[in-house]
Amino acid sequence: MASTFEWLYSDIVKDHFLNPRNVLNDEEKFQADGEGLTGNIKCGDEMLFLIKVDKAKGIITDCRWKTYGCASAIASTSVLSEMVKGMTLEEAYKVSPRDIEKRLGSLPEHKIHCSVLGDKALRAAIDDYYRKNGLENKITKKEVHIVCQCMNVTDDEIENAVLEGARTYIELQEKTKLGTVCGKCKDEATTLLNHYIETHFGGKTQ
Ligand code: FES
């Protein structure tokens, strides 16, 4: 690859971008037990994630993925594909973009949203597996609402950020990256921040 531009990425990101693991090779006949396809219009990306499942144990034994996304989406999904092998379906469902980011070392601020593609496609693949195997009752039905359209941050993630310690709008931004593009979500995010702090801790933002 060209090395004429300055990398903004960690060595781990570089390694996964240049040598992505578990990429779907069009030639191979990968027999998937679950398939998930997702796209992020703002990113212009699409992501396909395929899983093989040990049905007796409910464990992901193998996976493949394919994207037309950017370096961050490629590196994030490559590392995700290594993380989820050997996990139960329930464990894999809970892997978050921040878990992926921790494994990668870090991503440039404006690229963190790219890491949501892989984990969304993975969750879609797990739901697809549940659907195909008569396990619809395991599909997470929680209705989530996107508060920050630019960074794809949901009310559920705001609640998690509060549970993880966010008490101010700045801390919420640090944890979720919401409000870092157009800023239109600030009022709704602040209302929700207050609501979740009140609900879980009986207090207000600082
Ligand atoms: S909607 Fe949140 S930054 Fe644009």
Side-chain angles (χ1 to χ4, degrees):
M1 294 294 293
S3 57
T4 50
F5 63 95
E6 202 181 323
W7 277 95
L8 296 166
Y9 303 100
S10 72
D11 287 344
I12 304 171
V13 176
K14 258 189 270 183
D15 177 35
H16 278 274
F17 171 58
L18 296 173
N19 307 290
R21 327 299 200 257
N22 304 305
V23 174
L24 180 68
N25 174 347
D26 288 334
E27 309 300 307
E28 76 179 315
K29 301 234 177 319
F30 188 81
Q31 300 285 338
D33 296 311
E35 292 186 22
L37 180 68
T38 190
N40 180 325
I41 292 158
K42 290 208 182 326
C43 240
D45 295 344
E46 252 199 356
M47 176 73 68
L48 174 69
F49 206 103
L50 309 175
I51 53 171
K52 253 196 228 289
V53 178
D54 177 327
K55 297 189 181 178
K57 295 183 181 155
I59 284 175
I60 296 177
T61 55
D62 205 357
C63 61
R64 293 287 183 277
W65 58 274
K66 191 175 178 178
T67 187
Y68 299 106
C70 61
S72 300
I74 290 169
S76 305
T77 313
S78 174
V79 88
L80 173 68
S81 73
E82 287 193 326
M83 287 165 74
V84 298
K85 278 196 211 178
M87 278 187 180
T88 64
L89 293 165
E90 287 82 3
E91 285 166 346
Y93 206 96
K94 288 188 201 138
V95 174
S96 72
R98 281 179 293 285
D99 295 330
I100 297 169
E101 191 199 343
K102 271 184 217 152
R103 283 285 284 262
L104 280 174
S106 71
L107 284 174
E109 279 283 298
H110 64 291
K111 294 310 250 173
I112 288 169
H113 66 294
C114 302
S115 65
V116 307
L117 271 181
D119 84 314
K120 275 191 177 167
L122 167 65
R123 284 198 294 275
I126 294 172
D127 284 345
D128 182 52
Y129 170 81
Y130 285 150
R131 229 171 270 120
K132 286 175 173 158
N133 289 275
L135 298 166
E136 285 89 347
N137 59 325
K138 292 199 158 211
I139 295 175
T140 305
K141 298 238 175 43
K142 191 168 181 183
E143 289 281 320
V144 292
H145 157 67
I146 295 177
V147 177
C148 177
Q149 302 291 338
C150 297
M151 297 300 282
N152 251 327
V153 180
T154 64
D155 50 357
D156 197 37
E157 289 169 278
I158 293 175
E159 183 172 16
N160 283 335
V162 169
L163 291 170
E164 288 169 11
R167 294 293 176 275
T168 64
Y169 183 69
I170 302 281
E171 287 167 356
L172 184 61
Q173 277 193 310
E174 280 166 5
K175 284 188 184 291
T176 65
K177 313 302 173 200
L178 69 69
T180 52
V181 184
C182 75
K184 283 187 191 151
C185 53
K186 183 172 182 183
D187 288 351
E188 187 181 357
T190 305
T191 304
L192 283 167
L193 174 66
N194 280 326
H195 166 72
Y196 291 127
I197 292 172
E198 184 65 41
T199 305
H200 295 294
F201 304 100
K204 296 270 181 213
T205 54
Q206 290 151 24

